[in-house]
Amino acid sequence: MLNPDGVVNGNHRCSLSGEDLNRQWQNPNLELHPTIYHTKSLLQYLAHIQRAPLVYCDYHGHSRKKNVFMYGCSVKETVWQSNISATSSDLQEDLGYRALPKILSQIAPAFSMGSCSFVVERSKESTARVVVWREIGVQRSYTMESTLCGCDQGKYKGLQIGTRELEEMGAQFCVALLRLKRLTGLRNHQHLLDLESDIIGPHTKVVSSSSTTYVMEEDEPSFLEAIDYSAESGDEDGEPETEHVTELPENPDHPEQLSDSETNHRE
């Protein structure tokens, strides 16, 4: 909770200094933005000792769009959206920034991959997501937006989002983090698999007779090998684009991706 004084006093976006704290990440002031200042300092320290986090995620509410979705950061998608004359071969980018939202789209009923965006707009350069990506070097840096209204897809279509659905989304986010950690090269997966089975309970099954190994009914999602940037949308208020997925062999060292912009955050 990075805006305790504002939230306690009923503010939707601003702290008691009257500022949107998610626009202060480039140069936070110790006195006016202490929570941002110290959080950024902690991340800078972790990066300095080479312990930067695998994932950074800011959580916000969105007053206009439905479902739960993410904004992330992509060099290529930003270049494409900006109509800069650069071919895909001119830019190098690991597709790993799409891995977490892709996993969430497969396991969380309230999550919408089609509403996600990974374009870095100039007006969003002072947000946590972009600063942590650009200055701290965290490739998987996101803002997760949760509708203040309801869903227009899946089993919650036409329903209002409530506490139960938000708690379910939180649990599925934890499961997605565990899967992402397994995909990024950790050798001993057993304790992560056991932890995942504790979170998801009856949705697991035992598949090994010699030792107890828990797996999900659905395996990790396949990765996107290439992206058709012409199919992406950088308009956060537009209709979600139809998602196109290419099935590929699993590659634990190169997880996958998706597009960006953001409004109406709650810090």
Side-chain angles (χ1 to χ4, degrees), residues 13-259:
R13 292 178 65 99
C14 297
S15 67
L16 290 190
S17 67
E19 297 169 287
D20 182 348
L21 292 180
N22 199 39
R23 295 297 187 276
Q24 310 303 324
W25 276 76
Q26 282 184 319
N27 295 293
N29 182 285
L30 177 59
E31 294 185 356
L32 295 177
H33 325 118
T35 56
I36 307 304
Y37 181 90
H38 289 293
T39 302
K40 183 177 181 180
S41 296
L42 173 60
L43 290 167
Q44 289 172 327
Y45 169 73
L46 291 173
H48 177 71
I49 63 172
Q50 298 184 334
R51 295 294 301 275
L54 176 65
V55 171
Y56 174 87
C57 190
D58 228 3
Y59 299 92
H60 296 265
H62 203 294
S63 63
R64 288 183 288 174
K65 295 183 72 171
K66 295 185 177 181
N67 309 310
V68 179
F69 53 94
M70 280 179 158
Y71 295 125
C73 304
S74 165
V75 173
K76 286 190 175 182
E77 295 191 38
T78 302
V79 168
W80 170 81
Q81 184 70 18
S82 303
N83 295 317
I84 298 174
S85 57
T87 63
S88 296
S89 60
D90 294 331
L91 302 170
Q92 299 297 320
E93 183 170 60
D94 188 332
L95 300 182
Y97 68 88
R98 283 179 176 256
L100 187 61
K102 187 59 186 176
I103 294 170
L104 286 170
S105 72
Q106 295 197 357
I107 66 175
F111 192 85
S112 171
M113 188 72 168
S115 297
C116 294
S117 177
F118 300 95
V119 176
V120 179
E121 296 181 346
R122 191 175 300 277
S123 62
K124 307 302 191 300
E125 290 184 342
S126 60
T127 62
R129 166 180 56 87
V130 177
V131 171
V132 172
W133 171 66
R134 185 169 286 162
E135 296 185 21
I136 311 298
V138 178
Q139 180 190 29
R140 300 174 181 86
S141 182
Y142 309 99
T143 298
M144 176 177 275
E145 298 276 358
S146 176
T147 177
L148 300 183
C149 177
C151 294
D152 59 7
Q153 63 162 36
K155 70 177 184 178
Y156 297 137
K157 183 176 182 179
L159 300 178
Q160 176 74 33
I161 286 287
T163 302
R164 183 178 66 84
E165 290 75 26
L166 292 175
E167 289 178 344
E168 177 188 65
M169 187 68 237
Q172 297 293 7
F173 186 86
C174 292
V175 170
L177 287 178
L178 290 172
R179 292 191 180 188
L180 179 65
K181 185 62 175 174
R182 296 209 310 271
L183 289 170
T184 52
L186 191 68
R187 297 299 178 188
N188 181 11
H189 300 330
Q190 186 58 55
H191 70 289
L192 294 181
L193 289 166
D194 290 341
L195 181 56
E196 182 175 312
S197 71
D198 289 340
I199 296 174
I200 60 180
H203 300 296
T204 57
K205 62 180 180 181
V206 178
V207 296
S208 173
S209 56
S210 59
S211 62
T212 303
T213 303
Y214 296 96
V215 298
M216 292 292 293
E217 293 289 346
E218 292 182 3
D219 201 0
E220 288 87 356
S222 300
F223 301 128
L224 294 174
E225 184 175 48
I227 302 171
D228 178 7
Y229 294 103
S230 64
E232 299 294 339
S233 172
D235 182 4
E236 62 177 317
D237 297 316
E239 292 298 319
E241 296 289 336
T242 302
E243 180 189 354
H244 301 284
V245 179
T246 303
E247 296 295 334
L248 297 174
E250 293 184 359
N251 185 342
D253 296 325
H254 298 285
E256 55 189 340
Q257 343 179 265
L258 191 94
S259 150

